[in-house]
Each structure stands twice: as C-alpha cells, then as structure tokens.
Amino acid sequence: MAQIQGFALFDTALGWAGIAWGEAGIARVQLPDASAADTRARMQRLCVGVPEREPPPEVQAVVDGVTRLLAEGSGDLSQVRLDWSEVPDFHRRVYEIALAIPPGCTLSYGDIAMRLGDVALSRAVGQALGRNPFAPVVPCHRVLGAGGKMTGFSASGGVTTKQRMLLIENARLGCEPDLFDL
C-alpha cells in the first residue's frame, strides 16, 4: 500500500490541480475540478489523513512540468517516478503505453489494445484509463475512440476538458510509428 507523505494544490491554465507523493514516487495527480476547494476536497478524500504541504523539489519539478503541459502543451513527463504500488498489473501496462505518447500525438483505445496483444481489450483499456490516478502525467487525454472519436473522459469537465487539453497540445490524430516507440 502506498505511503503518501503529503499533497499540494497548484494553479494551472485549466484551474487548480492536485498532486500527492510518497517515498515511492508520485502517488496521484488530480486534474482540476470546478474550483480549488473542490480539488482540495477530492485530494482529502483520496489521501485520508495526509497533510497538505509544500512539495519537495523533486515533486515541484513534476508540478512545473504539469503546469507547462497544461499551458503550452509541451514537456516530457514520461520519466516521472510514479508509485505503482496500488495500480493493478493490466492498468500499469496500459499506462506505460500511454506514457510513451508524446504531446501532440494520439492513439486509439484499439491501438493500445493491439499493443497489448488483443484488440478485444479495447474496452478494458478504456476502463483502465478511466481509473488513471496520474493524469495528465499518464496522458489518458491522448487516447481516443476509433476514428478519433472523443469518448468519455473522467476528469472534471469530461470530453470538453479532453478536447481543451488536446487543443493546447495542437494534437493530431495518430502519429507516424517512427515518432515514438511503443
């Protein structure tokens, strides 16, 4: 079980986000809710008994990266040290593929399922991404339905937030296979 040491809120171009950390790495990243108070309440529910505090330098670097991503659509968060202790194996495999999708690129649920070995896993991929505790470090917003269809997004604002994040990144459907290695 993850040992969370603290959480913090931080302001982004999309609103107040949250981050929680422990010795094993980043335990949770929360995309903005409707208000800072809502984000704080969600973080308190997810991190029961954990104090809100200033993030240590390595966590602040992640905060800065997320802030830059949500403002400019740039930055590589794929090397952030994540606490995988409470993430089921299948979800981790999905998240590791999603981590390799660079800003501005997208894949479909089916593309990820194929990389896992079976297109029939598409629905399970969607369910795993819907439970992503690390968004946008694990960029589930870069995963679309077949044909680029904007499908459900569990963050506050739903598909509108997903579209906004992709617009900030100047995203395009798919990417040439040589643009990133999955």
Side-chain angles (χ1 to χ4, degrees):
M1 177 161 243
Q3 294 291 357
I4 300 175
Q5 297 172 327
F7 80 89
L9 300 187
F10 58 99
D11 196 12
T12 75
L14 300 181
W16 286 89
I19 190 166
W21 64 90
E23 285 185 26
I26 301 300
R28 174 164 293 280
V29 183
Q30 177 64 45
L31 285 169
D33 278 307
S35 69
D38 289 345
T39 301
R40 179 172 286 109
R42 183 183 298 262
M43 292 301 292
Q44 288 170 333
R45 282 192 308 274
L46 295 169
C47 307
V48 175
V50 174
E52 183 173 356
R53 57 174 46 144
E54 286 293 317
E58 63 274 9
V59 175
Q60 185 61 50
V62 178
V63 166
D64 295 343
V66 170
T67 301
R68 188 172 39 259
L69 177 69
L70 295 179
E72 303 167 9
S74 63
D76 180 10
L77 299 173
S78 65
Q79 299 304 310
V80 170
R81 190 169 60 98
L82 300 172
D83 179 349
W84 298 104
S85 64
E86 294 187 24
V87 176
D89 181 60
F90 178 79
H91 291 203
R92 182 175 179 160
R93 291 174 35 222
V94 169
Y95 301 161
E96 287 173 340
I97 293 170
L99 273 166
I101 307 169
C105 293
T106 63
L107 288 177
S108 71
Y109 298 102
D111 292 333
I112 291 178
M114 289 292 289
R115 284 170 171 81
L116 292 169
D118 187 353
V119 74
L121 294 172
S122 295
R123 185 176 303 273
V125 167
Q127 291 170 346
L129 291 170
R131 292 179 178 88
N132 176 9
F134 308 117
V137 173
V138 172
C140 52
H141 65 283
R142 296 181 192 146
V143 184
L144 308 175
K149 184 177 178 185
M150 291 287 170
T151 56
F153 191 57
S154 60
S156 180
V159 172
T160 301
T161 298
K162 184 175 197 166
Q163 289 172 320
R164 201 166 160 202
M165 292 171 72
L166 291 171
L167 182 64
I168 291 167
E169 293 182 10
N170 293 312
R172 61 193 182 283
L173 294 180
C175 284
E176 295 299 319
D178 61 340
L179 290 181
F180 60 96
D181 180 29
L182 297 176

